[in-house]
Amino acid sequence: MSSSPVHIVLAGGGTAGHVNPLLAVADAIRRIRPEASISIIGTAVGLEHDLVPRAGYELDTIEKVPFPRRPNKAALQFPAKWMRETRKVRDILRSRHADVVVGFGGYASAPVYSAAHRMGIPVVIHEQNARAGMANKLGARYAAFIGTAYENTGLKPGSGCRMERVGLPLRPAISTLAAQFASDRASVRQSGAEAMGIDPARPMVLVTGGSLGAVSLNRAVASSASVLLEHAQVVHLTGKGKIDEVRSLVGERADAGVFTGVGPDSYGKGDYHAAEYLERIDLAFACADLVICRSGAGSVSELAALGLPAVYVPLPIGNGEQRFNALPVVKAGGGLMVADKDFTAQWVQSHVPSLLAEPDRLRELGDKAWEYGIRDAADTMARRVLELA
């Protein structure tokens, strides 16, 4: 590896699931090689438009180039759009003097892989899903290195490519929390509980369906409020526009007086804490004994890295991608998986209280999750990138 300044271009975006790992790797490169020039290619409509400049990096934008999946007008327009955006990428890579490009999947990555390959620039890929997306499947044939969060992603690298399970590059709040867990979990729990407004001496179940929420999770858990509250406190992140139904169900099945908000002011005002969304979900993770959630790639990797036992309820769409995300950690003994159609109030009442009543089993689930999880993915990816610069 040369000691002269290097120019790294990272590509990806659209969702937080793509942007957060990208920024984690960018930060790791900056820590290891402070003099490195780092820029990012994304779109003007994805979350990267706000998150990348906020993180202190320059963003070059291209238009989304989704691969056509059926013969229609978009398919007819695809070749011209692909050529136009690939030309734009070539100009960006030249102006940035790119030594290596690093892609994280998503709409912005595919033309970057193609242009970099044609220009003789080494390509590095990170795949966070158990089943790779189309952009990374395309880029795999050009890659010099592929880092994955899972084994057996379906990627088929070309000759000479090295592929390694490195884990998911963690966003700073989760990486910091993992380090704190490793040194003093009890004090971290205390601090998290104070921030959430809950009793650190009692178990806590965290329920989250992501920023948009999950109706099936919301209804099954809220309808079980009376039974759950006999064993634990609940922190329920309902998703935008869904808190009223949860409040109503909790009032019907338990008592309106148990329902309260999230935060220090809610302490002692009830044991069913709810909010639509929590910006600092790491604070909830810090004091959770059990998590009930969907199994997006980011969620599974973060919970495993933190050693948190979880009940995963995969989103029942597509080809079952979320099921594949949760399957490895469940097989490793770090969680449970329940089909969405089976995750009912009856299931919750039959399984969750007995799980909470067995702290040794919860501890074992957490230990197995921790063993499966990886906490240094960002640094590993950064080193692999710099080896190619």
Side-chain angles (χ1 to χ4, degrees), residues 196-199 202-208 214-230 232-238 242-263 266-275 292 343 348:
M196 290 290 97
I198 69 169
D199 182 353
R202 292 191 62 213
M204 187 270 271
V205 177
L206 172 64
V207 185
T208 174
V215 172
S216 59
L217 271 65
N218 286 350
R219 291 174 178 170
V221 174
S223 297
S224 305
S226 179
V227 175
L228 290 176
L229 292 177
E230 293 176 8
Q233 305 160 99
V234 175
V235 172
H236 192 152
L237 307 180
T238 67
K242 297 178 175 67
I243 196 168
D244 289 341
E245 183 184 24
V246 170
R247 181 187 291 109
S248 177
L249 286 170
V250 171
E252 290 173 10
R253 306 304 166 90
D255 181 277
V258 305
F259 193 90
T260 187
V262 171
S266 68
Y267 184 81
K269 296 180 179 178
D271 282 338
Y272 201 106
H273 301 256
I292 298 174
F343 190 78
V348 172

Short mmCIF file of all heavy atoms in Angstrom, two decimals, residues 196-199 202-208 214-230 232-238 242-263 266-275 292 343 348:
data_model
loop_
_atom_site.label_atom_id
_atom_site.label_comp_id
_atom_site.label_asym_id
_atom_site.label_seq_id
_atom_site.Cartn_x
_atom_site.Cartn_y
_atom_site.Cartn_z
N MET A 196 -34.95 6.03 28.72
CA MET A 196 -36.23 5.52 28.26
C MET A 196 -37.36 5.79 29.25
O MET A 196 -38.54 5.74 28.89
CB MET A 196 -36.15 4.00 28.04
CG MET A 196 -35.30 3.55 26.87
SD MET A 196 -36.05 3.95 25.26
CE MET A 196 -35.16 5.46 24.91
N GLY A 197 -37.01 6.04 30.51
CA GLY A 197 -38.03 6.22 31.54
C GLY A 197 -38.59 4.92 32.07
O GLY A 197 -39.75 4.84 32.47
N ILE A 198 -37.73 3.88 32.11
CA ILE A 198 -38.18 2.58 32.61
C ILE A 198 -37.36 2.18 33.83
O ILE A 198 -36.34 2.78 34.15
CB ILE A 198 -38.08 1.48 31.53
CG1 ILE A 198 -36.62 1.17 31.20
CG2 ILE A 198 -38.84 1.88 30.27
CD1 ILE A 198 -36.44 -0.08 30.35
N ASP A 199 -37.81 1.12 34.49
CA ASP A 199 -37.16 0.60 35.68
C ASP A 199 -36.06 -0.38 35.25
O ASP A 199 -36.35 -1.42 34.66
CB ASP A 199 -38.19 -0.12 36.55
CG ASP A 199 -37.60 -0.66 37.85
OD1 ASP A 199 -36.37 -0.60 38.03
OD2 ASP A 199 -38.39 -1.16 38.68
N ARG A 202 -36.34 -4.23 36.19
CA ARG A 202 -37.36 -5.12 35.63
C ARG A 202 -37.06 -5.42 34.17
O ARG A 202 -36.49 -4.58 33.45
CB ARG A 202 -38.75 -4.48 35.72
CG ARG A 202 -39.28 -4.34 37.14
CD ARG A 202 -40.74 -3.95 37.10
NE ARG A 202 -41.54 -4.99 36.44
CZ ARG A 202 -42.62 -4.74 35.70
NH1 ARG A 202 -43.04 -3.51 35.51
NH2 ARG A 202 -43.29 -5.74 35.16
N PRO A 203 -37.44 -6.61 33.67
CA PRO A 203 -37.21 -6.93 32.26
C PRO A 203 -37.95 -5.95 31.34
O PRO A 203 -38.97 -5.37 31.71
CB PRO A 203 -37.79 -8.34 32.11
CG PRO A 203 -37.82 -8.89 33.50
CD PRO A 203 -38.05 -7.72 34.40
N MET A 204 -37.40 -5.77 30.14
CA MET A 204 -38.04 -4.91 29.14
C MET A 204 -38.07 -5.60 27.79
O MET A 204 -37.06 -6.14 27.34
CB MET A 204 -37.30 -3.58 29.04
CG MET A 204 -38.01 -2.56 28.13
SD MET A 204 -37.51 -2.65 26.38
CE MET A 204 -36.11 -1.52 26.39
N VAL A 205 -39.23 -5.57 27.16
CA VAL A 205 -39.41 -6.09 25.81
C VAL A 205 -39.51 -4.91 24.86
O VAL A 205 -40.35 -4.02 25.05
CB VAL A 205 -40.68 -6.96 25.69
CG1 VAL A 205 -40.88 -7.43 24.24
CG2 VAL A 205 -40.61 -8.15 26.63
N LEU A 206 -38.65 -4.88 23.86
CA LEU A 206 -38.66 -3.84 22.84
C LEU A 206 -39.35 -4.37 21.59
O LEU A 206 -39.00 -5.44 21.09
CB LEU A 206 -37.24 -3.40 22.51
CG LEU A 206 -37.07 -2.43 21.32
CD1 LEU A 206 -37.75 -1.10 21.60
CD2 LEU A 206 -35.58 -2.23 21.01
N VAL A 207 -40.32 -3.62 21.09
CA VAL A 207 -41.07 -4.01 19.89
C VAL A 207 -40.88 -2.93 18.84
O VAL A 207 -41.13 -1.75 19.09
CB VAL A 207 -42.57 -4.15 20.19
CG1 VAL A 207 -43.31 -4.67 18.96
CG2 VAL A 207 -42.80 -5.06 21.39
N THR A 208 -40.41 -3.32 17.65
CA THR A 208 -40.23 -2.34 16.59
C THR A 208 -40.44 -2.98 15.22
O THR A 208 -39.93 -4.06 14.95
CB THR A 208 -38.84 -1.68 16.65
OG1 THR A 208 -38.67 -0.83 15.51
CG2 THR A 208 -37.72 -2.72 16.68
N ALA A 214 -45.10 -2.08 11.80
CA ALA A 214 -45.60 -3.35 11.25
C ALA A 214 -46.92 -3.64 11.93
O ALA A 214 -46.96 -3.92 13.14
CB ALA A 214 -44.58 -4.46 11.51
N VAL A 215 -47.99 -3.59 11.18
CA VAL A 215 -49.33 -3.71 11.75
C VAL A 215 -49.52 -5.03 12.47
O VAL A 215 -50.08 -5.08 13.57
CB VAL A 215 -50.41 -3.53 10.66
CG1 VAL A 215 -51.80 -3.84 11.20
CG2 VAL A 215 -50.38 -2.11 10.12
N SER A 216 -49.03 -6.12 11.89
CA SER A 216 -49.24 -7.43 12.51
C SER A 216 -48.52 -7.52 13.85
O SER A 216 -49.06 -8.05 14.83
CB SER A 216 -48.77 -8.55 11.58
OG SER A 216 -47.41 -8.41 11.24
N LEU A 217 -47.30 -6.98 13.95
CA LEU A 217 -46.59 -6.96 15.22
C LEU A 217 -47.32 -6.07 16.22
O LEU A 217 -47.50 -6.45 17.39
CB LEU A 217 -45.15 -6.46 15.03
CG LEU A 217 -44.07 -7.49 14.68
CD1 LEU A 217 -44.32 -8.11 13.32
CD2 LEU A 217 -42.69 -6.84 14.73
N ASN A 218 -47.72 -4.90 15.76
CA ASN A 218 -48.40 -3.96 16.65
C ASN A 218 -49.64 -4.59 17.29
O ASN A 218 -49.85 -4.50 18.50
CB ASN A 218 -48.82 -2.71 15.88
CG ASN A 218 -47.64 -1.80 15.54
OD1 ASN A 218 -46.53 -2.00 16.03
ND2 ASN A 218 -47.89 -0.80 14.72
N ARG A 219 -50.46 -5.22 16.46
CA ARG A 219 -51.72 -5.76 16.95
C ARG A 219 -51.50 -6.96 17.87
O ARG A 219 -52.16 -7.07 18.91
CB ARG A 219 -52.62 -6.13 15.77
CG ARG A 219 -53.13 -4.90 15.02
CD ARG A 219 -53.90 -5.27 13.77
NE ARG A 219 -54.40 -4.07 13.10
CZ ARG A 219 -54.94 -4.07 11.88
NH1 ARG A 219 -55.05 -5.20 11.20
NH2 ARG A 219 -55.37 -2.93 11.35
N ALA A 220 -50.59 -7.83 17.50
CA ALA A 220 -50.36 -9.03 18.32
C ALA A 220 -49.82 -8.66 19.69
O ALA A 220 -50.24 -9.23 20.71
CB ALA A 220 -49.41 -9.99 17.60
N VAL A 221 -48.88 -7.72 19.74
CA VAL A 221 -48.27 -7.35 21.02
C VAL A 221 -49.22 -6.49 21.85
O VAL A 221 -49.41 -6.75 23.05
CB VAL A 221 -46.93 -6.62 20.79
CG1 VAL A 221 -46.37 -6.11 22.11
CG2 VAL A 221 -45.93 -7.56 20.12
N ALA A 222 -49.81 -5.49 21.23
CA ALA A 222 -50.71 -4.61 22.00
C ALA A 222 -51.90 -5.38 22.55
O ALA A 222 -52.37 -5.11 23.66
CB ALA A 222 -51.19 -3.46 21.12
N SER A 223 -52.38 -6.37 21.79
CA SER A 223 -53.49 -7.19 22.26
C SER A 223 -53.09 -8.11 23.40
O SER A 223 -53.95 -8.70 24.06
CB SER A 223 -54.06 -8.02 21.10
OG SER A 223 -54.60 -7.18 20.10
N SER A 224 -51.79 -8.25 23.63
CA SER A 224 -51.28 -9.10 24.70
C SER A 224 -50.76 -8.29 25.88
O SER A 224 -50.08 -8.82 26.76
CB SER A 224 -50.13 -9.97 24.16
OG SER A 224 -50.54 -10.71 23.02
N ALA A 225 -51.11 -7.00 25.91
CA ALA A 225 -50.53 -6.10 26.91
C ALA A 225 -50.72 -6.60 28.33
O ALA A 225 -49.78 -6.60 29.13
CB ALA A 225 -51.13 -4.71 26.74
N SER A 226 -51.91 -7.03 28.67
CA SER A 226 -52.20 -7.44 30.04
C SER A 226 -51.29 -8.57 30.49
O SER A 226 -50.72 -8.55 31.58
CB SER A 226 -53.66 -7.85 30.18
OG SER A 226 -53.94 -8.27 31.50
N VAL A 227 -51.13 -9.58 29.62
CA VAL A 227 -50.29 -10.74 29.95
C VAL A 227 -48.82 -10.35 30.01
O VAL A 227 -48.08 -10.73 30.94
CB VAL A 227 -50.51 -11.87 28.93
CG1 VAL A 227 -49.55 -13.03 29.18
CG2 VAL A 227 -51.95 -12.35 28.96
N LEU A 228 -48.36 -9.56 29.04
CA LEU A 228 -46.95 -9.18 29.00
C LEU A 228 -46.55 -8.35 30.20
O LEU A 228 -45.46 -8.53 30.77
CB LEU A 228 -46.65 -8.39 27.71
CG LEU A 228 -46.68 -9.18 26.41
CD1 LEU A 228 -46.47 -8.25 25.23
CD2 LEU A 228 -45.64 -10.29 26.40
N LEU A 229 -47.42 -7.43 30.61
CA LEU A 229 -47.06 -6.53 31.70
C LEU A 229 -46.98 -7.23 33.05
O LEU A 229 -46.43 -6.66 34.01
CB LEU A 229 -48.05 -5.37 31.76
CG LEU A 229 -47.99 -4.40 30.57
CD1 LEU A 229 -49.06 -3.32 30.69
CD2 LEU A 229 -46.61 -3.77 30.43
N GLU A 230 -47.47 -8.46 33.13
CA GLU A 230 -47.27 -9.23 34.36
C GLU A 230 -45.83 -9.67 34.51
O GLU A 230 -45.38 -10.02 35.60
CB GLU A 230 -48.18 -10.46 34.35
CG GLU A 230 -49.67 -10.15 34.44
CD GLU A 230 -50.52 -11.40 34.32
OE1 GLU A 230 -49.92 -12.51 34.33
OE2 GLU A 230 -51.74 -11.29 34.21
N ALA A 232 -43.06 -8.06 32.38
CA ALA A 232 -42.05 -7.12 31.88
C ALA A 232 -42.67 -5.77 31.58
O ALA A 232 -43.89 -5.62 31.53
CB ALA A 232 -41.40 -7.68 30.61
N GLN A 233 -41.79 -4.81 31.35
CA GLN A 233 -42.18 -3.53 30.77
C GLN A 233 -42.09 -3.68 29.25
O GLN A 233 -41.35 -4.53 28.74
CB GLN A 233 -41.23 -2.43 31.23
CG GLN A 233 -41.11 -2.31 32.74
CD GLN A 233 -39.84 -1.59 33.15
OE1 GLN A 233 -39.85 -0.41 33.46
NE2 GLN A 233 -38.72 -2.31 33.18
N VAL A 234 -42.81 -2.83 28.56
CA VAL A 234 -42.79 -2.86 27.09
C VAL A 234 -42.41 -1.47 26.58
O VAL A 234 -42.93 -0.46 27.05
CB VAL A 234 -44.15 -3.27 26.51
CG1 VAL A 234 -44.14 -3.17 24.98
CG2 VAL A 234 -44.53 -4.67 26.96
N VAL A 235 -41.48 -1.44 25.63
CA VAL A 235 -41.22 -0.23 24.85
C VAL A 235 -41.61 -0.56 23.42
O VAL A 235 -41.00 -1.43 22.78
CB VAL A 235 -39.74 0.20 24.93
CG1 VAL A 235 -39.48 1.35 23.95
CG2 VAL A 235 -39.39 0.64 26.34
N HIS A 236 -42.65 0.10 22.92
CA HIS A 236 -43.25 -0.25 21.64
C HIS A 236 -43.09 0.93 20.68
O HIS A 236 -43.69 1.99 20.89
CB HIS A 236 -44.73 -0.58 21.85
CG HIS A 236 -45.38 -1.21 20.66
ND1 HIS A 236 -46.45 -2.07 20.78
CD2 HIS A 236 -45.13 -1.12 19.33
CE1 HIS A 236 -46.83 -2.47 19.58
NE2 HIS A 236 -46.04 -1.90 18.68
N LEU A 237 -42.30 0.74 19.64
CA LEU A 237 -42.14 1.74 18.59
C LEU A 237 -43.08 1.37 17.46
O LEU A 237 -42.84 0.43 16.71
CB LEU A 237 -40.68 1.79 18.13
CG LEU A 237 -39.66 1.97 19.27
CD1 LEU A 237 -38.24 2.00 18.73
CD2 LEU A 237 -39.96 3.23 20.08
N THR A 238 -44.17 2.10 17.35
CA THR A 238 -45.31 1.67 16.53
C THR A 238 -45.17 1.95 15.05
O THR A 238 -45.83 1.32 14.23
CB THR A 238 -46.59 2.38 17.01
OG1 THR A 238 -46.48 3.79 16.73
CG2 THR A 238 -46.80 2.17 18.50
N LYS A 242 -49.36 4.98 13.51
CA LYS A 242 -49.93 3.73 14.02
C LYS A 242 -50.07 3.69 15.55
O LYS A 242 -50.52 2.69 16.09
CB LYS A 242 -49.09 2.54 13.54
CG LYS A 242 -49.09 2.38 12.02
CD LYS A 242 -48.22 1.22 11.58
CE LYS A 242 -48.33 1.00 10.08
NZ LYS A 242 -47.76 2.12 9.29
N ILE A 243 -49.73 4.77 16.21
CA ILE A 243 -49.73 4.73 17.67
C ILE A 243 -51.15 4.75 18.24
O ILE A 243 -51.41 4.17 19.30
CB ILE A 243 -48.88 5.89 18.26
CG1 ILE A 243 -48.58 5.61 19.73
CG2 ILE A 243 -49.58 7.24 18.06
CD1 ILE A 243 -47.51 6.54 20.31
N ASP A 244 -52.10 5.37 17.55
CA ASP A 244 -53.47 5.45 18.08
C ASP A 244 -54.11 4.07 18.21
O ASP A 244 -54.79 3.78 19.20
CB ASP A 244 -54.33 6.36 17.20
CG ASP A 244 -53.94 7.83 17.33
OD1 ASP A 244 -53.29 8.18 18.34
OD2 ASP A 244 -54.28 8.62 16.43
N GLU A 245 -53.90 3.22 17.19
CA GLU A 245 -54.47 1.87 17.27
C GLU A 245 -53.84 1.09 18.41
O GLU A 245 -54.53 0.36 19.14
CB GLU A 245 -54.28 1.11 15.95
CG GLU A 245 -54.92 -0.27 16.00
CD GLU A 245 -54.68 -1.09 14.74
OE1 GLU A 245 -53.68 -0.83 14.03
OE2 GLU A 245 -55.48 -2.00 14.47
N VAL A 246 -52.53 1.22 18.58
CA VAL A 246 -51.84 0.53 19.68
C VAL A 246 -52.37 1.02 21.03
O VAL A 246 -52.66 0.22 21.93
CB VAL A 246 -50.31 0.73 19.58
CG1 VAL A 246 -49.62 0.24 20.84
CG2 VAL A 246 -49.77 0.00 18.36
N ARG A 247 -52.53 2.33 21.17
CA ARG A 247 -53.06 2.89 22.42
C ARG A 247 -54.44 2.32 22.71
O ARG A 247 -54.75 1.94 23.85
CB ARG A 247 -53.12 4.41 22.32
CG ARG A 247 -53.65 5.07 23.61
CD ARG A 247 -53.88 6.56 23.44
NE ARG A 247 -52.63 7.29 23.28
CZ ARG A 247 -52.23 7.85 22.15
NH1 ARG A 247 -52.98 7.73 21.05
NH2 ARG A 247 -51.09 8.50 22.09
N SER A 248 -55.29 2.24 21.70
CA SER A 248 -56.65 1.73 21.87
C SER A 248 -56.64 0.27 22.29
O SER A 248 -57.37 -0.14 23.21
CB SER A 248 -57.43 1.91 20.56
OG SER A 248 -58.73 1.36 20.68
N LEU A 249 -55.82 -0.54 21.64
CA LEU A 249 -55.76 -1.97 21.97
C LEU A 249 -55.23 -2.20 23.38
O LEU A 249 -55.73 -3.05 24.11
CB LEU A 249 -54.89 -2.71 20.95
CG LEU A 249 -55.50 -2.94 19.57
CD1 LEU A 249 -54.44 -3.46 18.59
CD2 LEU A 249 -56.67 -3.92 19.66
N VAL A 250 -54.22 -1.44 23.76
CA VAL A 250 -53.67 -1.58 25.11
C VAL A 250 -54.74 -1.20 26.14
O VAL A 250 -54.90 -1.87 27.17
CB VAL A 250 -52.41 -0.72 25.29
CG1 VAL A 250 -51.96 -0.69 26.76
CG2 VAL A 250 -51.27 -1.24 24.42
N GLY A 251 -55.49 -0.14 25.87
CA GLY A 251 -56.55 0.27 26.78
C GLY A 251 -57.64 -0.77 26.92
O GLY A 251 -58.19 -0.99 28.01
N GLU A 252 -57.95 -1.45 25.80
CA GLU A 252 -58.99 -2.49 25.83
C GLU A 252 -58.51 -3.74 26.56
O GLU A 252 -59.27 -4.35 27.33
CB GLU A 252 -59.37 -2.88 24.40
CG GLU A 252 -60.13 -1.81 23.63
CD GLU A 252 -60.32 -2.20 22.18
OE1 GLU A 252 -60.03 -3.39 21.84
OE2 GLU A 252 -60.73 -1.35 21.36
N ARG A 253 -57.28 -4.15 26.33
CA ARG A 253 -56.79 -5.43 26.84
C ARG A 253 -56.14 -5.32 28.21
O ARG A 253 -56.00 -6.32 28.91
CB ARG A 253 -55.81 -6.05 25.84
CG ARG A 253 -56.35 -6.19 24.45
CD ARG A 253 -57.65 -7.00 24.41
NE ARG A 253 -58.34 -6.86 23.14
CZ ARG A 253 -58.15 -7.65 22.09
NH1 ARG A 253 -57.26 -8.62 22.18
NH2 ARG A 253 -58.83 -7.46 20.98
N ALA A 254 -55.70 -4.14 28.58
CA ALA A 254 -55.09 -3.95 29.90
C ALA A 254 -55.85 -2.83 30.61
O ALA A 254 -56.93 -3.04 31.13
CB ALA A 254 -53.60 -3.62 29.74
N ASP A 255 -55.30 -1.64 30.57
CA ASP A 255 -55.95 -0.49 31.20
C ASP A 255 -55.31 0.75 30.60
O ASP A 255 -54.09 0.78 30.37
CB ASP A 255 -55.73 -0.53 32.71
CG ASP A 255 -56.40 0.64 33.40
OD1 ASP A 255 -55.80 1.73 33.43
OD2 ASP A 255 -57.54 0.45 33.89
N ALA A 256 -56.10 1.76 30.34
CA ALA A 256 -55.56 2.97 29.73
C ALA A 256 -54.45 3.59 30.57
O ALA A 256 -53.55 4.26 30.06
CB ALA A 256 -56.68 3.98 29.50
N GLY A 257 -54.48 3.35 31.88
CA GLY A 257 -53.50 3.94 32.77
C GLY A 257 -52.10 3.38 32.63
O GLY A 257 -51.14 4.00 33.11
N VAL A 258 -51.95 2.23 31.97
CA VAL A 258 -50.61 1.65 31.82
C VAL A 258 -49.86 2.25 30.64
O VAL A 258 -48.65 2.07 30.50
CB VAL A 258 -50.67 0.11 31.66
CG1 VAL A 258 -51.43 -0.53 32.81
CG2 VAL A 258 -51.29 -0.30 30.32
N PHE A 259 -50.59 2.95 29.76
CA PHE A 259 -50.01 3.44 28.51
C PHE A 259 -49.35 4.79 28.75
O PHE A 259 -49.95 5.72 29.28
CB PHE A 259 -51.11 3.59 27.46
CG PHE A 259 -50.58 3.79 26.06
CD1 PHE A 259 -50.33 2.71 25.24
CD2 PHE A 259 -50.35 5.06 25.57
CE1 PHE A 259 -49.86 2.89 23.95
CE2 PHE A 259 -49.88 5.27 24.28
CZ PHE A 259 -49.64 4.17 23.46
N THR A 260 -48.10 4.90 28.35
CA THR A 260 -47.37 6.15 28.54
C THR A 260 -46.39 6.34 27.40
O THR A 260 -46.30 5.52 26.48
CB THR A 260 -46.65 6.16 29.90
OG1 THR A 260 -46.09 7.45 30.14
CG2 THR A 260 -45.55 5.10 29.96
N GLY A 261 -45.63 7.42 27.46
CA GLY A 261 -44.67 7.71 26.41
C GLY A 261 -43.30 7.13 26.68
O GLY A 261 -43.12 6.27 27.55
N VAL A 262 -42.33 7.61 25.92
CA VAL A 262 -40.94 7.17 26.05
C VAL A 262 -40.09 8.36 26.45
O VAL A 262 -40.19 9.43 25.85
CB VAL A 262 -40.43 6.56 24.73
CG1 VAL A 262 -38.93 6.30 24.81
CG2 VAL A 262 -41.18 5.29 24.40
N GLY A 263 -39.28 8.18 27.47
CA GLY A 263 -38.40 9.26 27.91
C GLY A 263 -38.43 9.41 29.42
O GLY A 263 -39.28 8.83 30.10
N SER A 266 -41.61 9.90 31.52
CA SER A 266 -42.63 8.85 31.58
C SER A 266 -42.40 7.86 32.72
O SER A 266 -43.22 6.97 32.95
CB SER A 266 -42.69 8.08 30.25
OG SER A 266 -41.50 7.34 30.05
N TYR A 267 -41.28 8.03 33.44
CA TYR A 267 -40.97 7.08 34.51
C TYR A 267 -42.07 7.09 35.59
O TYR A 267 -42.49 8.13 36.07
CB TYR A 267 -39.62 7.42 35.15
CG TYR A 267 -39.20 6.41 36.21
CD1 TYR A 267 -38.61 5.22 35.84
CD2 TYR A 267 -39.44 6.65 37.56
CE1 TYR A 267 -38.23 4.27 36.80
CE2 TYR A 267 -39.07 5.72 38.52
CZ TYR A 267 -38.48 4.53 38.13
OH TYR A 267 -38.12 3.61 39.08
N GLY A 268 -42.53 5.88 35.94
CA GLY A 268 -43.53 5.75 36.98
C GLY A 268 -44.95 6.05 36.56
O GLY A 268 -45.88 5.98 37.37
N LYS A 269 -45.17 6.35 35.28
CA LYS A 269 -46.51 6.71 34.80
C LYS A 269 -47.20 5.57 34.06
O LYS A 269 -48.30 5.74 33.54
CB LYS A 269 -46.42 7.94 33.90
CG LYS A 269 -45.93 9.19 34.62
CD LYS A 269 -45.85 10.38 33.68
CE LYS A 269 -45.37 11.63 34.43
NZ LYS A 269 -45.24 12.79 33.53
N GLY A 270 -46.57 4.42 34.00
CA GLY A 270 -47.12 3.28 33.30
C GLY A 270 -46.00 2.42 32.79
O GLY A 270 -44.86 2.87 32.66
N ASP A 271 -46.31 1.16 32.48
CA ASP A 271 -45.27 0.23 32.04
C ASP A 271 -45.33 -0.11 30.56
O ASP A 271 -44.52 -0.89 30.07
CB ASP A 271 -45.36 -1.07 32.86
CG ASP A 271 -44.75 -0.90 34.25
OD1 ASP A 271 -43.92 0.02 34.42
OD2 ASP A 271 -45.11 -1.68 35.15
N TYR A 272 -46.32 0.44 29.85
CA TYR A 272 -46.39 0.21 28.40
C TYR A 272 -46.00 1.53 27.73
O TYR A 272 -46.81 2.44 27.57
CB TYR A 272 -47.79 -0.23 27.97
CG TYR A 272 -47.80 -0.96 26.64
CD1 TYR A 272 -47.97 -2.33 26.58
CD2 TYR A 272 -47.61 -0.27 25.43
CE1 TYR A 272 -47.98 -3.01 25.37
CE2 TYR A 272 -47.61 -0.94 24.23
CZ TYR A 272 -47.79 -2.31 24.20
OH TYR A 272 -47.78 -2.98 22.99
N HIS A 273 -44.73 1.62 27.37
CA HIS A 273 -44.18 2.85 26.80
C HIS A 273 -44.26 2.77 25.28
O HIS A 273 -43.83 1.79 24.68
CB HIS A 273 -42.72 3.01 27.22
CG HIS A 273 -42.53 3.06 28.70
ND1 HIS A 273 -42.28 4.23 29.38
CD2 HIS A 273 -42.56 2.08 29.65
CE1 HIS A 273 -42.15 3.98 30.67
NE2 HIS A 273 -42.32 2.67 30.86
N ALA A 274 -44.76 3.82 24.64
CA ALA A 274 -44.92 3.78 23.19
C ALA A 274 -44.53 5.11 22.56
O ALA A 274 -44.70 6.18 23.14
CB ALA A 274 -46.35 3.43 22.81
N ALA A 275 -43.99 5.02 21.37
CA ALA A 275 -43.67 6.18 20.54
C ALA A 275 -43.74 5.72 19.09
O ALA A 275 -43.58 4.53 18.80
CB ALA A 275 -42.29 6.73 20.87
N ILE A 292 -38.61 -7.81 19.71
CA ILE A 292 -39.54 -8.39 18.74
C ILE A 292 -39.53 -7.47 17.53
O ILE A 292 -39.84 -6.27 17.65
CB ILE A 292 -40.95 -8.51 19.31
CG1 ILE A 292 -40.96 -9.44 20.53
CG2 ILE A 292 -41.92 -9.02 18.25
CD1 ILE A 292 -42.31 -9.51 21.25
N PHE A 343 -47.68 -15.12 13.82
CA PHE A 343 -47.40 -14.19 14.92
C PHE A 343 -48.69 -13.49 15.33
O PHE A 343 -49.01 -12.40 14.88
CB PHE A 343 -46.33 -13.18 14.53
CG PHE A 343 -45.83 -12.37 15.71
CD1 PHE A 343 -44.93 -12.91 16.60
CD2 PHE A 343 -46.30 -11.08 15.93
CE1 PHE A 343 -44.48 -12.18 17.70
CE2 PHE A 343 -45.87 -10.34 17.01
CZ PHE A 343 -44.96 -10.89 17.90
N VAL A 348 -47.97 -14.77 21.01
CA VAL A 348 -47.25 -13.92 21.96
C VAL A 348 -47.52 -14.37 23.40
O VAL A 348 -46.59 -14.56 24.20
CB VAL A 348 -47.66 -12.44 21.78
CG1 VAL A 348 -47.06 -11.58 22.89
CG2 VAL A 348 -47.19 -11.93 20.41
#
